[in-house]
Amino acid sequence: MVEIDKVSIHFNDPTGTYDHDSFALEDAIRNMVNKAKKSLHLVSYSLPNYNSEWYLHDIIEDCVNRGVKLIVHANSKTEVQRLVARHRHRNIAGYSWVKEGDSDIFHIKAIIVDGIRLYLGSANLSQNAITHSAEWGMISHSPEICLSLEKYLKHLQNIGRFEVI
């Protein structure tokens, strides 16, 4: 069993009426990702078209330019291909889910920074989820949880559930 310490909870409130004392979810994710020094691991069912309007665009560009390794696991081959193509000659690894049935999806939503910080929540990493949907997420400093999720993703890769892009 892995225990969670040092957790902050964040919300995306499209109504703008929920009073909470934490950062908005978008700000919390951007702040966490901006601190990446070695690796940035995006894990999501849905990724956006990679354009300058995406809330993580500028931060990911900065991370990759600083030599941070970008790893992407997502459901859609096309979405992973678009993100990987943008950084083809940089330090990036992309993996798309291999379906074994019509209703088979990869639905995890997380971001791991440097193997020690983690976003885990309901929001896909898409622009729509972060701007128009009611979402919640937690940010935690937990090397154990990060390792546990990365081991699970590696297992799925090893049994052929992810295709290298």
Side-chain angles (χ1 to χ4, degrees):
M1 176 190 279
V2 176
E3 293 187 25
I4 300 174
D5 325 309
K6 301 178 187 173
V7 173
S8 59
I9 303 296
H10 306 275
F11 300 91
N12 179 46
D13 176 29
T15 69
T17 60
Y18 182 63
D19 186 27
H20 55 95
D21 60 357
S22 63
F23 286 123
L25 184 57
E26 177 181 353
D27 295 335
I29 291 172
R30 287 176 54 85
N31 185 46
M32 184 188 80
V33 169
N34 197 38
K35 294 177 182 174
K37 294 184 180 7
K38 295 182 234 169
S39 64
L40 174 58
H41 195 159
L42 306 178
V43 183
S44 186
Y45 168 74
S46 176
L47 295 168
N49 287 332
Y50 198 73
N51 64 56
S52 61
E53 301 301 314
W54 184 35
Y55 72 104
L56 291 175
H57 178 272
D58 57 331
I59 294 173
I60 289 175
E61 288 290 313
D62 182 54
C63 286
V64 172
N65 287 337
R66 288 186 281 120
V68 172
K69 180 177 178 100
L70 179 60
I71 306 158
V72 180
H73 281 87
N75 190 65
S76 167
K77 182 175 183 174
T78 303
E79 291 173 355
V80 175
Q81 285 173 326
R82 286 183 191 139
L83 185 55
V84 168
R86 179 159 182 85
H87 301 290
R88 174 74 55 206
H89 302 292
R90 295 179 177 164
N91 197 7
I92 184 168
Y95 304 90
S96 67
W97 184 246
V98 175
K99 287 187 169 203
E100 290 186 351
D102 290 341
S103 60
D104 185 3
I105 61 173
F106 177 74
H107 206 243
I108 298 172
K109 296 120 176 178
I111 301 172
I112 300 170
V113 172
D114 296 334
I116 60 171
R117 284 184 295 282
L118 172 77
Y119 155 76
L120 185 62
S122 64
N124 288 309
L125 303 184
S126 67
Q127 189 69 25
N128 185 60
I130 211 68
T131 56
H132 301 296
S133 301
E135 305 281 0
W136 85 279
M138 66 176 203
I139 306 280
S140 173
H141 180 275
S142 179
E144 287 180 318
I145 295 173
C146 294
L147 180 61
S148 183
L149 178 54
E150 287 179 336
K151 284 172 88 174
Y152 180 58
L153 294 169
K154 189 66 159 169
H155 165 75
L156 292 173
Q157 282 174 227
N158 289 342
I159 64 168
R161 294 311 306 269
F162 280 105
E163 175 183 0
V164 177
I165 302 299

